[in-house]
């Protein structure tokens, strides 16, 4: 008979059980005078959270509101650069959250949001009902899991900061380039005007003598 395959390590099994809570994460373009809405079905009593941030465009601000299935506005903010909102659903159904750039007439925006539904499941089986102390392997697994969550949050934060700083740098570079071109043109115009002015000083003007015929 063949030899049985070795069982996978406990740490690997516990890490594979670590499922992410249901939600969505998206970065999208929001044109001027436009509104973009998203929908998510949420069960009654389930908690959900919304985090958003404007990455590029204008004054880095946007209007945002969240509407429950019966049409009540449960969250509304105007011209916010970033914000977070957490709510426990009182009604089962489709919740709508919208981002509006209708107050802007020419500035396109780039918006990032992270919408999460529900609580994260425990990394260990029956962790909530367990009365005994965690083993060394289980404690290490929980520590690694929490560290990975921190790393993911930090990566998201720095990625957004990097995108925002890059957009500002590109905008500043464009302004400096246009200003340099304008200064160059102005310098040529002033130089040419000075040359013509100096030339006029050294140009001899001879009077024209007209013969008077008798």
């Amino acid at each position: 008979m063949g030899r049985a395959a070795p069982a996978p390590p406990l740490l690997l099994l516990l890490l594979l059980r670590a499922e992410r809570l249901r939600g969505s994460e998206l970065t999208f373009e929001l044109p001027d005078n436009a509104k973009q809405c998203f929908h998510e079905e949420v069960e009654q009593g389930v908690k959900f959270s919304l985090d958003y941030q404007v990455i590029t465009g204008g004054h880095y601000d946007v209007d945002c509101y969240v509407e429950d299935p019966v049409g009540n506005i449960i969250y509304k903010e105007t011209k916010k650069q970033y914000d977070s909102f957490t709510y426990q659903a009182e009604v089962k159904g489709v919740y709508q959250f919208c981002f509006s750039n209708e107050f802007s007439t020419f500035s396109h925006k780039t918006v990032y949001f992270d919408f999460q539904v529900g609580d994260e499941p425990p990394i260990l089986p029956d962790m909530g009902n367990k009365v005994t102390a965690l083993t060394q392997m289980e404690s290490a697994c929980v520590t690694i899991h929490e560290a990975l969550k921190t790393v993911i949050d930090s990566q998201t934060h720095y990625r957004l900061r990097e995108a925002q700083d890059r957009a500002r740098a590109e905008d500043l570079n464009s302004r400096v380039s246009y200003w340099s071109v304008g200064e160059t043109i102005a310098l040529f115009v002033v130089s040419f005007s000075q040359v013509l002015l100096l030339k006029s000083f050294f140009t001899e003007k001879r009077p024209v003598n007209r013969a008077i015929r008798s």
Side-chain angles (χ1 to χ4, degrees):
M1 297 178 59
R3 191 175 177 183
L10 176 61
L11 180 60
L12 179 59
L13 286 176
L14 293 177
L15 288 176
L16 289 177
R17 288 183 57 90
E19 301 175 355
R20 291 183 59 86
L21 62 164
R22 181 168 58 95
S24 56
E25 187 178 5
L26 182 65
T27 301
F28 66 97
E29 294 285 341
L30 186 62
D32 53 288
N33 294 316
K35 181 173 70 172
Q36 183 71 43
C37 294
F38 302 88
H39 305 82
E40 184 72 29
E41 185 173 0
V42 183
E43 298 290 334
Q44 183 178 6
V46 176
K47 184 183 296 184
F48 64 86
S49 63
L50 173 65
D51 300 296
Y52 64 92
Q53 180 178 344
V54 180
I55 301 176
T56 62
H59 296 287
Y60 302 91
D61 53 356
V62 70
D63 296 343
C64 178
Y65 70 88
V66 181
E67 185 178 304
D68 65 8
V70 296
N72 297 323
I73 302 297
I74 57 178
Y75 170 83
K76 184 176 182 180
E77 291 290 344
T78 58
K79 296 186 178 181
K80 296 285 289 187
Q81 295 184 349
Y82 59 88
D83 201 9
S84 299
F85 172 68
T86 302
Y87 184 77
Q88 187 170 2
E90 299 179 354
V91 181
K92 176 184 176 181
V94 177
Y95 285 76
Q96 174 180 259
F97 56 101
C98 299
F99 299 95
S100 174
N101 194 29
E102 295 175 321
F103 60 87
S104 179
T105 56
F106 59 88
S107 296
H108 284 55
K109 308 289 176 64
T110 302
V111 183
Y112 161 85
F113 74 85
D114 183 13
F115 188 82
Q116 300 294 340
V117 180
D119 296 323
E120 185 177 10
I123 186 174
L124 300 174
D126 301 328
M127 186 175 178
N129 301 326
K130 194 169 184 179
V131 294
T132 59
L134 299 177
T135 64
Q136 185 176 1
M137 181 66 71
E138 291 173 341
S139 299
C141 182
V142 173
T143 303
I144 293 174
H145 178 66
E146 295 298 328
L148 289 176
K149 287 172 56 180
T150 303
V151 169
I152 292 174
D153 293 339
S154 299
Q155 286 180 338
T156 301
H157 171 73
Y158 288 120
R159 187 174 69 249
L160 294 176
R161 287 290 302 273
E162 188 272 337
Q164 192 175 59
D165 292 341
R166 183 176 66 250
R168 288 180 176 177
E170 290 176 352
D171 180 65
L172 180 60
N173 179 64
S174 299
R175 294 185 180 185
V176 171
S177 299
Y178 292 144
W179 180 261
S180 300
V181 171
E183 282 191 332
T184 303
I185 295 175
L187 181 62
F188 276 112
V189 171
V190 171
S191 300
F192 185 72
S193 301
Q194 289 179 344
V195 170
L196 293 180
L197 182 62
L198 291 174
K199 185 178 180 181
S200 66
F201 290 159
F202 295 97
T203 301
E204 183 180 359
K205 297 181 179 180
R206 298 179 179 179
V208 177
N209 296 325
R210 295 181 177 180
I212 303 177
R213 295 180 180 181
S214 56

